[in-house]
């Protein structure tokens, strides 16, 4: 299954490969300086992490730079992780309440685990929360970023979602809510179907299971070749294709899902606020709610 890891990581290396000493320039879209910080994120770093106001931005930039050296994901290079995207989900109040009521939560492809920190900062107990990522080093950097190694009870599990022997299997049938943010869009249609079936198996086998997230969408659903390795594709969904995929996942797992998909009218480059030449013209921010019936 190591090949799956290579497949999903092929995209950014055409512009910047931290492992290649001949290629030490960050890509053009990389945002080096963090000029301002949204009030919600600032509150987490000051109140939850206990940083002084002046220390917040230098601290974030220092940890972010270490993460970008590990792998140059756009969500890291563009500071997108500071959105704390889960709070923008229409399901956020429900998710927070369900966690307070003792339900279990998994952030899949969590990277730093910033959405977990937002929930915990807002009063969710961390005991029933899990984060999982291919790379333990990103989750370790999450402790450095939020300064909560001694207090956070979240269990972080490193594993490849496509690995049939992944340690994530220990959560099979145990999770009430999954957050899959900027995750499924890393993969082709076939891989997304496989990954979605794993998500189904991680949820408790009962009505009410919830999968939420945001990712890159497109007005036109299509497989998009990765620039450096055109033999590899990532499927960009619109609302219709995402629902169609979940109908297939439901049929193949014997489950039923109510799927709600939201695509922004504004193109993604404008939302990100910096020119990103690898974004297709029709790219949109997409968010979704998938609820087991
Ligand atoms: C683009 S980042 C998104 C991080 C975070 N969820 C967010 O919204 O900011 C995708 C994350 O998925 C992880 N990932 C990629 N392929 C994976 C796989 N096959 N299994 C588990 N995690 C994977 C990466 O290591 C990375 O941290």
């Amino acid at each position: 299954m190591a090949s799956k890891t290579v497949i999903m990581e092929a995209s950014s290396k055409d512009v910047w490969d931290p492992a290649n000493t001949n290629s030490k320039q960050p890509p053009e879209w990389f945002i080096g300086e963090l000029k301002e910080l949204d009030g919600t994120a600032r509150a987490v770093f000051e109140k939850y992490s206990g940083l002084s106001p002046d220390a917040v931005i230098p601290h974030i930039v220092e940890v972010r730079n270490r993460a970008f050296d590990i792998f140059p994901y756009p969500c890291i290079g563009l500071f997108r992780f500071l959105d704390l995207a889960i709070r923008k989900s229409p399901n956020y109040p429900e998710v927070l309440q369900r966690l307070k009521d003792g339900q279990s939560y998994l952030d899949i492809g969590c990277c730093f685990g910033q959405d977990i920190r937002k929930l915990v900062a807002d009063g969710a107990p961390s005991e029933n929360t899990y984060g999982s990522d291919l790379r333990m080093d990103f989750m370790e950097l999450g402790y450095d970023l939020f300064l909560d190694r001694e207090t956070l009870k979240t269990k972080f599990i490193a594993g490849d979602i496509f690995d049939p022997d992944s340690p994530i299997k220990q959560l099979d049938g145990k999770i009430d809510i999954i957050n899959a943010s900027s995750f499924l869009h890393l993969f082709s249609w076939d891989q997304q179907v496989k990954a979605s079936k794993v998500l189904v198996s991680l949820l408790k086998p009962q009505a009410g299971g919830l999968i939420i997230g945001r990712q890159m969408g497109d007005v036109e659903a299509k497989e998009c070749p990765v620039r450096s390795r055109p033999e590899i594709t990532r499927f960009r969904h619109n609302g219709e294709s995402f629902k169609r995929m979940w109908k297939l996942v439901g049929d193949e797992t014997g489950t039923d899902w109510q799927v709600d998909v939201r695509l922004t009218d504004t193109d993604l480059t404008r939302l990100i606020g910096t020119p990103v030449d690898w974004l297709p013209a029709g790219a949109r921010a997409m968010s979704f709610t998938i609820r087991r019936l």
Side-chain angles (χ1 to χ4, degrees):
M1 286 294 143
S3 61
K4 295 290 192 316
T5 306
V6 173
I7 284 171
M8 80 83 207
E9 291 197 333
S11 72
S12 313
K13 292 198 172 187
D14 56 341
V15 285
W16 190 55
D17 180 355
N20 176 356
T21 48
N22 296 321
S23 154
K24 278 295 174 197
Q25 287 303 311
E28 275 172 26
W29 49 263
F30 176 80
I31 300 178
E33 214 183 320
L34 181 59
K35 293 203 177 91
E36 55 193 32
L37 187 59
D38 158 79
T40 306
R42 178 167 281 285
V44 171
F45 285 100
E46 290 184 15
K47 296 193 182 126
Y48 173 80
S49 304
L51 283 160
S52 68
D54 288 350
V56 170
I57 286 185
H59 172 76
I60 293 171
V61 174
E62 189 273 322
V63 180
R64 186 291 298 262
N65 289 349
R66 280 195 273 148
F68 201 70
D69 276 345
I70 293 171
F71 192 78
Y73 277 114
C75 56
I76 297 174
L78 297 169
F79 289 111
R80 295 274 287 161
F81 60 95
L82 294 173
D83 282 359
L84 308 175
I86 194 166
R87 76 188 157 107
K88 296 181 178 167
S89 165
N91 307 102
Y92 187 66
E94 174 191 344
V95 171
L96 185 58
Q97 189 56 51
R98 286 174 65 167
L99 263 68
K100 287 180 179 172
D101 292 343
Q103 293 201 11
S104 53
Y105 168 93
L106 167 68
D107 191 330
I108 188 85
C110 65
C111 195
F112 298 124
Q114 68 273 6
D115 283 346
I116 293 171
R117 271 54 176 224
K118 173 61 181 151
L119 284 159
V120 174
D122 285 345
S126 59
E127 280 78 3
N128 293 327
T129 63
Y130 301 86
S132 183
D133 200 283
L134 195 57
R135 295 170 172 275
M136 187 48 104
D137 40 12
F138 281 157
M139 297 185 282
E140 285 288 332
L141 282 176
Y143 288 125
D144 292 353
L145 185 61
F146 293 99
L147 302 170
D148 57 1
R149 190 180 295 273
E150 306 305 326
T151 52
L152 189 74
K153 302 280 188 297
T154 302
K155 184 167 183 186
F156 289 104
I157 301 168
D160 180 345
I161 195 163
F162 298 109
D163 178 356
D165 300 319
S166 168
I168 193 79
K169 294 279 167 204
Q170 67 190 272
L171 299 180
D172 263 0
K174 295 194 175 143
I175 299 296
D176 293 295
I177 300 165
I178 295 176
N179 180 18
S181 190
S182 298
F183 180 69
L184 289 171
H185 72 189
L186 297 172
F187 310 119
S188 69
W189 171 280
D190 288 347
Q191 289 173 313
Q192 290 190 38
V193 171
K194 270 190 203 153
S196 300
K197 286 185 187 172
V198 174
L199 299 187
V200 171
S201 65
L202 290 167
L203 286 173
K204 289 178 183 166
Q206 61 193 35
L210 189 64
I211 304 171
I212 60 167
R214 76 163 185 191
Q215 63 186 40
M216 199 196 297
D218 201 294
V219 287
E220 187 195 338
K222 54 183 178 256
E223 292 281 0
C224 292
V226 170
R227 277 202 309 175
S228 58
R229 296 181 60 188
E231 75 280 12
I232 295 169
T233 59
R234 293 174 165 174
F235 195 86
R236 296 284 174 250
H237 283 282
N238 60 20
E240 180 278 322
S241 69
F242 198 71
K243 288 181 181 176
R244 182 158 43 87
M245 183 177 85
W246 273 89
K247 174 75 173 71
L248 177 69
V249 170
D251 288 348
E252 293 188 358
T253 55
T255 54
D256 277 324
W257 303 87
Q258 182 193 314
V259 181
D260 182 26
V261 187
R262 304 163 290 272
L263 246 71
T264 54
D265 294 333
T266 328
D267 82 55
L268 198 52
T269 309
R270 212 165 328 144
L271 280 182
I272 289 173
T274 190
V276 181
D277 62 357
W278 39 260
L279 273 180
R284 297 285 185 274
M286 177 180 135
S287 64
F288 53 83
T289 306
I290 307 163
R291 195 183 296 272
R292 185 158 176 182
L293 298 172

